[in-house]
Every structure is written in structure tokens, then in C-alpha cells.
Amino acid sequence: MRLKNRFMPALLFCGAVALSSCEKNEQETAMPAFEQGMISHVMADSAAVTAYAFSGKQLSQVNHYDTKTGKLESFDKYERDGSGKLVKATSYAAGNHALLSEQKYTYNTNGLLSKTEMAYYKGGKLEYSALATVEYDTKNNLKKKSLYEVNSATEEAIPTSYTTFELLPNGNYANEKQYVIDDKGEASLFSTTTYSYDSNQNPFHELAEPGSASSPNNMIASSALVHNSKKTYKYTYAYTYDERGYPLTQTVVSPTGKSETFNYLYSN
């Protein structure tokens, strides 16, 4: 089964590239510890959306909550090698700790992420596998991400899409172009997304995988043009800040005009 290529609007958060893991009991899983000065929670109104646990300054666990019930839905744990590089990220369901997904990471000779192997599970069984490769320019700036579906029987990696990136001089991601690959192996431009940013520190800069969410500043607008339909999807992001310039609130307005506000909590 080919993975379906589809337009995904700009995400509020993306997967974190980090870190170490240690066994925790159920109480510790529900209430992670955090390092002073780091992002600790993202809230919607008074309900937790995400909570972050750190070992020193290194992310070790992310908890995801149901904002309606306040209950823990799932959590992600991270493992590193002796040099501090991420080697594995694993997601579990809350309660029974059922395995949801695994991601294994490989780096190039410059120490930059070069490959991610992904496996997704349902009911304890492997549902599908995928592979992502990452390419950089001569200045070690992100240039291209390619996605493959992995055939479980033959282990053949079948290309499904790739995305190219353009960076601004300050390191923020200016735009992304997503291409989809058909059954004949031919690529066509699917969408072009442009971004703009404020001048304040993005608290997820060092936590997110290479891409727009890892930009050093906070995104204030994104506009995605889907070329086949010629439709444009625009999001805006407005912030309030603390005395350091870190965001305290983020208000997201979707293409439909719906507005939602998130609160950022820190450990100090």
C-alpha cells in the first residue's frame, strides 16, 4: 500500500530530535520533571496539551494530553548514544503503554541528521514502515527531505514525496516546496509554503527536527498554495512575550477564521 500524499498545513509543533530515556513509573510518566529555564508545558486554556521533561538541558520525554478530559493520551521517550546523539524515539499509549511508533536516527559525517527510519504499530502489530532522508548544502543548511514507504515484504524503499527548503540569512525557513511522486516515479510540485517570523526566541528552536518549527524565531504567518487546486491556506500566529522575549501565549488563526490560544509555561 502506497502512503497517501496529502497537503498538511503548518503544524504548531513538530517532533523533537533529542535525547535520553530512563524508566519511569506511571506517576512520573504523567507528571514529567523539567530543567530550570526550559519550556515545560503548552496549555489550551487551563488544560495541558503537551508537557516536556528534560535531563539536564536535553529533552527526555514528551507527554501528550486530551484537552477535553485532561488525561494523558500518549508519551514519547528518547534514547541517545554515548556521544549524546539521538538513536531512537519511541511513542507509547498511556495506560497500557502499547507501542505506537518507533523512529531510529542516523547522522552524516558532520554530525547532522541524515536518515530517519519510522515504524508505526496498531494493536501491537506493525501497520506500516517509512523512511526519510535529509540532505544539506555545502554550508550544512537543510536543503531537502525525501520520504519513502518501505515495503514490509521486500524492504524496498519506494519514494513518495520530497520537500525542498529555502533559508533566510538569519536561519529562519523562508519557504518549502513539496513534490509528490507518482507510481511512474515522476515528481510534480504539489504545494509551496512561505513563512514569516518575529524577532524573538523560539523556545522549540533546539528541540525540533530540521524544518520551519526549528527556526530561531517564532512563526507569525504561513501561506500554503496547493498548485492543483490553486487554493491558498493561510495561518497567522500572534504572541505575547515575557521580559526575555520568550512567548507566553500564541494565538493561531486558521484559514477558516477559527482562533485558538495556547499558553507557554517555563520552569522559571
Side-chain angles (χ1 to χ4, degrees), residues 9-21:
L11 296 177
L12 180 63
F13 311 109
C14 78
V17 171
L19 311 155
S20 64
S21 77

Side-chain angles (χ1 to χ4, degrees), residues 14-22 24 32-35 38-41 50-64 76-80 84-89 105 203-209:
C14 78
V17 171
L19 311 155
S20 64
S21 77
C22 58
K24 297 176 180 284
F34 48 83
E35 179 72 9
M38 308 295 286
I39 187 77
S40 64
H41 292 77
T50 315
Y52 302 85
F54 291 83
S55 175
K57 293 184 178 297
Q58 298 167 335
L59 184 64
S60 59
Q61 183 170 317
V62 178
N63 288 354
H64 307 278
D76 311 323
K77 301 185 76 169
Y78 304 91
E79 300 175 23
R80 294 186 299 155
K85 292 290 186 184
L86 170 73
V87 293
K88 187 177 180 181
Y105 298 90
F204 302 99
H205 169 51
E206 296 183 355
L207 305 182
E209 294 182 3

Side-chain angles (χ1 to χ4, degrees), residues 77-245:
K77 301 185 76 169
Y78 304 91
E79 300 175 23
R80 294 186 299 155
D81 62 18
S83 68
K85 292 290 186 184
L86 170 73
V87 293
K88 187 177 180 181
T90 309
S91 296
Y92 301 93
N96 62 4
H97 289 195
L99 178 62
L100 300 176
S101 68
E102 290 181 329
Q103 298 187 64
K104 297 179 181 180
Y105 298 90
T106 302
Y107 300 84
N108 62 22
T109 54
N110 293 322
L112 301 173
L113 179 67
S114 62
K115 183 173 69 173
T116 304
E117 298 172 83
M118 298 163 280
Y120 300 90
Y121 297 84
K122 186 175 182 179
K125 296 182 179 180
L126 179 65
E127 189 172 22
Y128 66 91
S129 300
L131 172 70
T133 59
V134 185
E135 299 175 31
Y136 302 87
D137 63 20
T138 55
K139 296 182 179 180
N140 289 331
N141 294 317
L142 177 64
K143 181 174 67 174
K144 181 180 179 181
K145 285 185 181 180
S146 300
L147 181 65
Y148 303 80
E149 179 188 3
V150 178
N151 186 300
S152 58
T154 65
E155 296 187 354
E156 177 187 6
I158 304 168
T160 59
S161 67
Y162 66 87
T163 303
T164 60
F165 301 85
E166 179 183 332
L167 272 73
L168 298 170
N170 62 4
N172 290 323
Y173 287 81
N175 69 61
E176 302 175 1
K177 294 182 181 292
Q178 183 185 19
Y179 297 79
V180 296
I181 301 173
D182 61 23
D183 293 333
K184 297 180 180 179
E186 298 178 354
S188 59
L189 180 61
F190 180 72
S191 66
T192 300
T193 305
T194 58
Y195 303 100
S196 56
Y197 302 85
D198 64 12
S199 58
N200 291 338
Q201 175 67 40
N202 172 15
F204 302 99
H205 169 51
E206 296 183 355
L207 305 182
E209 294 182 3
S212 58
S214 68
S215 292
N217 302 122
N218 301 291
M219 188 183 300
I220 58 173
S222 67
S223 179
L225 170 63
V226 179
H227 294 278
N228 285 346
S229 66
K230 300 189 184 302
K231 291 183 178 180
T232 300
Y233 300 84
K234 295 183 178 181
Y235 288 78
T236 61
Y237 309 85
Y239 304 86
T240 62
Y241 306 93
D242 65 16
E243 65 279 359
R244 302 172 301 173

